[in-house]
mmCIF file of all heavy atoms in Angstrom:
data_model
loop_
_atom_site.group_PDB
_atom_site.id
_atom_site.type_symbol
_atom_site.label_atom_id
_atom_site.label_comp_id
_atom_site.label_asym_id
_atom_site.label_seq_id
_atom_site.Cartn_x
_atom_site.Cartn_y
_atom_site.Cartn_z
ATOM 1 N N TYR A 413 42.316 -2.904 34.207
ATOM 2 C CA TYR A 413 42.901 -2.453 32.938
ATOM 3 C C TYR A 413 41.840 -2.584 31.847
ATOM 4 O O TYR A 413 41.450 -3.678 31.465
ATOM 5 C CB TYR A 413 44.116 -3.331 32.625
ATOM 6 C CG TYR A 413 44.960 -2.930 31.448
ATOM 7 C CD1 TYR A 413 46.295 -2.564 31.611
ATOM 8 C CD2 TYR A 413 44.447 -2.954 30.151
ATOM 9 C CE1 TYR A 413 47.103 -2.225 30.524
ATOM 10 C CE2 TYR A 413 45.226 -2.613 29.063
ATOM 11 C CZ TYR A 413 46.555 -2.253 29.250
ATOM 12 O OH TYR A 413 47.334 -1.922 28.176
ATOM 13 N N ILE A 438 47.065 5.137 29.698
ATOM 14 C CA ILE A 438 48.314 4.841 28.990
ATOM 15 C C ILE A 438 48.010 4.528 27.533
ATOM 16 O O ILE A 438 46.851 4.249 27.175
ATOM 17 C CB ILE A 438 49.074 3.664 29.642
ATOM 18 C CG1 ILE A 438 48.195 2.393 29.666
ATOM 19 C CG2 ILE A 438 49.540 4.032 31.051
ATOM 20 C CD1 ILE A 438 48.917 1.161 30.191
ATOM 21 N N PRO A 440 49.787 2.100 25.133
ATOM 22 C CA PRO A 440 50.745 1.105 24.635
ATOM 23 C C PRO A 440 50.339 0.496 23.299
ATOM 24 O O PRO A 440 51.101 -0.252 22.688
ATOM 25 C CB PRO A 440 50.730 0.040 25.733
ATOM 26 C CG PRO A 440 49.327 0.107 26.268
ATOM 27 C CD PRO A 440 48.904 1.544 26.176
ATOM 28 N N THR A 441 49.121 0.782 22.825
ATOM 29 C CA THR A 441 48.600 0.171 21.600
ATOM 30 C C THR A 441 48.547 1.204 20.482
ATOM 31 O O THR A 441 48.793 2.396 20.691
ATOM 32 C CB THR A 441 47.195 -0.400 21.843
ATOM 33 O OG1 THR A 441 46.344 0.647 22.348
ATOM 34 C CG2 THR A 441 47.230 -1.511 22.873
ATOM 35 N N ASP A 446 53.046 4.091 22.641
ATOM 36 C CA ASP A 446 54.025 4.697 23.558
ATOM 37 C C ASP A 446 54.302 3.704 24.688
ATOM 38 O O ASP A 446 53.863 3.882 25.824
ATOM 39 C CB ASP A 446 53.477 6.010 24.100
ATOM 40 C CG ASP A 446 54.518 6.772 24.908
ATOM 41 O OD1 ASP A 446 55.624 6.230 25.119
ATOM 42 O OD2 ASP A 446 54.221 7.901 25.344
ATOM 43 N N ILE A 447 55.031 2.662 24.360
ATOM 44 C CA ILE A 447 55.254 1.569 25.312
ATOM 45 C C ILE A 447 56.154 1.970 26.481
ATOM 46 O O ILE A 447 55.837 1.636 27.635
ATOM 47 C CB ILE A 447 55.802 0.330 24.580
ATOM 48 C CG1 ILE A 447 54.693 -0.225 23.663
ATOM 49 C CG2 ILE A 447 56.276 -0.741 25.563
ATOM 50 C CD1 ILE A 447 55.109 -1.391 22.818
ATOM 51 N N PRO A 448 57.263 2.690 26.285
ATOM 52 C CA PRO A 448 58.126 3.030 27.430
ATOM 53 C C PRO A 448 57.388 3.786 28.539
ATOM 54 O O PRO A 448 57.467 3.410 29.712
ATOM 55 C CB PRO A 448 59.219 3.885 26.788
ATOM 56 C CG PRO A 448 59.288 3.396 25.376
ATOM 57 C CD PRO A 448 57.873 3.114 25.008
ATOM 58 N N ARG A 449 56.673 4.879 28.174
ATOM 59 C CA ARG A 449 55.973 5.635 29.210
ATOM 60 C C ARG A 449 54.812 4.842 29.805
ATOM 61 O O ARG A 449 54.520 4.951 30.994
ATOM 62 C CB ARG A 449 55.481 6.967 28.631
ATOM 63 C CG ARG A 449 56.519 8.070 28.787
ATOM 64 C CD ARG A 449 55.941 9.434 28.566
ATOM 65 N NE ARG A 449 55.660 9.685 27.154
ATOM 66 C CZ ARG A 449 55.300 10.879 26.679
ATOM 67 N NH1 ARG A 449 55.158 11.902 27.497
ATOM 68 N NH2 ARG A 449 55.067 11.039 25.389
ATOM 69 N N SER A 450 54.155 4.041 28.991
ATOM 70 C CA SER A 450 53.059 3.196 29.491
ATOM 71 C C SER A 450 53.595 2.201 30.507
ATOM 72 O O SER A 450 52.991 1.980 31.572
ATOM 73 C CB SER A 450 52.395 2.448 28.330
ATOM 74 O OG SER A 450 51.824 3.354 27.413
ATOM 75 N N ARG A 451 54.744 1.594 30.185
ATOM 76 C CA ARG A 451 55.349 0.619 31.094
ATOM 77 C C ARG A 451 55.746 1.292 32.409
ATOM 78 O O ARG A 451 55.517 0.742 33.496
ATOM 79 C CB ARG A 451 56.558 -0.006 30.411
ATOM 80 C CG ARG A 451 57.244 -1.078 31.233
ATOM 81 C CD ARG A 451 58.169 -1.903 30.360
ATOM 82 N NE ARG A 451 57.407 -2.690 29.401
ATOM 83 C CZ ARG A 451 57.866 -3.092 28.219
ATOM 84 N NH1 ARG A 451 59.078 -2.757 27.831
ATOM 85 N NH2 ARG A 451 57.124 -3.820 27.419
ATOM 86 N N ASP A 452 56.315 2.489 32.335
ATOM 87 C CA ASP A 452 56.708 3.216 33.552
ATOM 88 C C ASP A 452 55.495 3.500 34.444
ATOM 89 O O ASP A 452 55.573 3.389 35.673
ATOM 90 C CB ASP A 452 57.391 4.540 33.179
ATOM 91 C CG ASP A 452 58.775 4.329 32.575
ATOM 92 O OD1 ASP A 452 59.315 3.207 32.728
ATOM 93 O OD2 ASP A 452 59.298 5.270 31.951
ATOM 94 N N VAL A 454 52.604 1.789 34.615
ATOM 95 C CA VAL A 454 52.120 0.553 35.243
ATOM 96 C C VAL A 454 53.041 0.145 36.396
ATOM 97 O O VAL A 454 52.573 -0.213 37.491
ATOM 98 C CB VAL A 454 52.022 -0.584 34.201
ATOM 99 C CG1 VAL A 454 51.732 -1.922 34.891
ATOM 100 C CG2 VAL A 454 50.931 -0.275 33.184
ATOM 101 N N ARG A 475 44.273 -8.453 23.392
ATOM 102 C CA ARG A 475 45.429 -9.318 23.108
ATOM 103 C C ARG A 475 46.736 -8.537 23.194
ATOM 104 O O ARG A 475 47.700 -8.978 23.820
ATOM 105 C CB ARG A 475 45.290 -9.957 21.720
ATOM 106 C CG ARG A 475 46.338 -11.027 21.441
ATOM 107 C CD ARG A 475 46.012 -11.773 20.176
ATOM 108 N NE ARG A 475 46.168 -10.946 19.001
ATOM 109 C CZ ARG A 475 47.336 -10.748 18.374
ATOM 110 N NH1 ARG A 475 48.433 -11.317 18.844
ATOM 111 N NH2 ARG A 475 47.411 -9.994 17.300
ATOM 112 N N GLU A 476 46.753 -7.334 22.588
ATOM 113 C CA GLU A 476 47.957 -6.515 22.646
ATOM 114 C C GLU A 476 48.245 -6.066 24.080
ATOM 115 O O GLU A 476 49.404 -6.000 24.502
ATOM 116 C CB GLU A 476 47.797 -5.276 21.755
ATOM 117 C CG GLU A 476 47.614 -5.597 20.285
ATOM 118 C CD GLU A 476 46.160 -5.723 19.871
ATOM 119 O OE1 GLU A 476 45.339 -6.189 20.702
ATOM 120 O OE2 GLU A 476 45.838 -5.362 18.744
ATOM 121 N N SER A 477 47.182 -5.778 24.820
ATOM 122 C CA SER A 477 47.346 -5.344 26.208
ATOM 123 C C SER A 477 47.895 -6.469 27.076
ATOM 124 O O SER A 477 48.730 -6.240 27.959
ATOM 125 C CB SER A 477 45.998 -4.867 26.768
ATOM 126 O OG SER A 477 45.560 -3.713 26.080
ATOM 127 N N GLU A 478 47.430 -7.686 26.821
ATOM 128 C CA GLU A 478 47.936 -8.833 27.575
ATOM 129 C C GLU A 478 49.432 -9.014 27.326
ATOM 130 O O GLU A 478 50.214 -9.255 28.258
ATOM 131 C CB GLU A 478 47.168 -10.100 27.182
ATOM 132 C CG GLU A 478 47.602 -11.327 27.963
ATOM 133 C CD GLU A 478 46.896 -12.599 27.510
ATOM 134 O OE1 GLU A 478 46.131 -12.551 26.531
ATOM 135 O OE2 GLU A 478 47.127 -13.645 28.158
ATOM 136 N N GLN A 479 49.840 -8.891 26.064
ATOM 137 C CA GLN A 479 51.254 -9.015 25.717
ATOM 138 C C GLN A 479 52.077 -7.934 26.417
ATOM 139 O O GLN A 479 53.140 -8.199 26.989
ATOM 140 C CB GLN A 479 51.428 -8.882 24.200
ATOM 141 C CG GLN A 479 52.853 -9.086 23.711
ATOM 142 C CD GLN A 479 53.281 -10.542 23.747
ATOM 143 O OE1 GLN A 479 52.602 -11.408 23.212
ATOM 144 N NE2 GLN A 479 54.392 -10.821 24.407
ATOM 145 N N PHE A 480 51.544 -6.714 26.405
ATOM 146 C CA PHE A 480 52.227 -5.581 27.036
ATOM 147 C C PHE A 480 52.368 -5.798 28.545
ATOM 148 O O PHE A 480 53.449 -5.604 29.117
ATOM 149 C CB PHE A 480 51.454 -4.292 26.748
ATOM 150 C CG PHE A 480 51.792 -3.154 27.663
ATOM 151 C CD1 PHE A 480 53.006 -2.476 27.556
ATOM 152 C CD2 PHE A 480 50.901 -2.761 28.657
ATOM 153 C CE1 PHE A 480 53.321 -1.431 28.419
ATOM 154 C CE2 PHE A 480 51.203 -1.723 29.517
ATOM 155 C CZ PHE A 480 52.416 -1.055 29.405
ATOM 156 N N ILE A 481 51.280 -6.237 29.199
ATOM 157 C CA ILE A 481 51.312 -6.437 30.657
ATOM 158 C C ILE A 481 52.251 -7.580 31.027
ATOM 159 O O ILE A 481 53.029 -7.489 31.996
ATOM 160 C CB ILE A 481 49.892 -6.701 31.205
ATOM 161 C CG1 ILE A 481 49.089 -5.396 31.242
ATOM 162 C CG2 ILE A 481 49.938 -7.310 32.598
ATOM 163 C CD1 ILE A 481 49.602 -4.353 32.212
ATOM 164 N N ALA A 482 52.214 -8.670 30.270
ATOM 165 C CA ALA A 482 53.083 -9.812 30.567
ATOM 166 C C ALA A 482 54.552 -9.398 30.516
ATOM 167 O O ALA A 482 55.357 -9.788 31.379
ATOM 168 C CB ALA A 482 52.816 -10.949 29.586
ATOM 169 N N GLU A 483 54.911 -8.609 29.524
ATOM 170 C CA GLU A 483 56.291 -8.135 29.403
ATOM 171 C C GLU A 483 56.632 -7.141 30.511
ATOM 172 O O GLU A 483 57.722 -7.162 31.078
ATOM 173 C CB GLU A 483 56.499 -7.484 28.033
ATOM 174 C CG GLU A 483 56.475 -8.450 26.866
ATOM 175 C CD GLU A 483 57.598 -9.481 26.953
ATOM 176 O OE1 GLU A 483 58.726 -9.106 27.357
ATOM 177 O OE2 GLU A 483 57.346 -10.657 26.642
ATOM 178 N N THR A 484 55.677 -6.272 30.838
ATOM 179 C CA THR A 484 55.905 -5.247 31.864
ATOM 180 C C THR A 484 56.117 -5.857 33.242
ATOM 181 O O THR A 484 56.992 -5.429 34.002
ATOM 182 C CB THR A 484 54.709 -4.268 31.910
ATOM 183 O OG1 THR A 484 54.601 -3.614 30.645
ATOM 184 C CG2 THR A 484 54.892 -3.222 33.001
ATOM 185 N N LEU A 485 55.329 -6.874 33.575
ATOM 186 C CA LEU A 485 55.416 -7.483 34.906
ATOM 187 C C LEU A 485 56.762 -8.158 35.144
ATOM 188 O O LEU A 485 57.178 -8.348 36.292
ATOM 189 C CB LEU A 485 54.275 -8.487 35.102
ATOM 190 C CG LEU A 485 52.850 -7.891 35.098
ATOM 191 C CD1 LEU A 485 51.818 -8.978 35.393
ATOM 192 C CD2 LEU A 485 52.718 -6.759 36.095
ATOM 193 N N VAL A 730 52.278 -14.717 28.591
ATOM 194 C CA VAL A 730 51.227 -14.754 27.590
ATOM 195 C C VAL A 730 51.425 -15.925 26.630
ATOM 196 O O VAL A 730 52.550 -16.326 26.346
ATOM 197 C CB VAL A 730 51.192 -13.421 26.801
ATOM 198 C CG1 VAL A 730 52.411 -13.281 25.917
ATOM 199 C CG2 VAL A 730 49.919 -13.317 25.980
#
Side-chain angles (χ1 to χ4, degrees):
Y413 187 117
I438 58 175
T441 56
D446 188 355
I447 292 176
R449 270 195 287 189
S450 298
R451 182 164 293 153
D452 289 344
V454 171
R475 189 170 69 84
E476 298 92 326
S477 295
E478 182 183 5
Q479 184 74 53
F480 162 73
I481 285 294
E483 290 298 321
T484 298
L485 296 184
V730 70

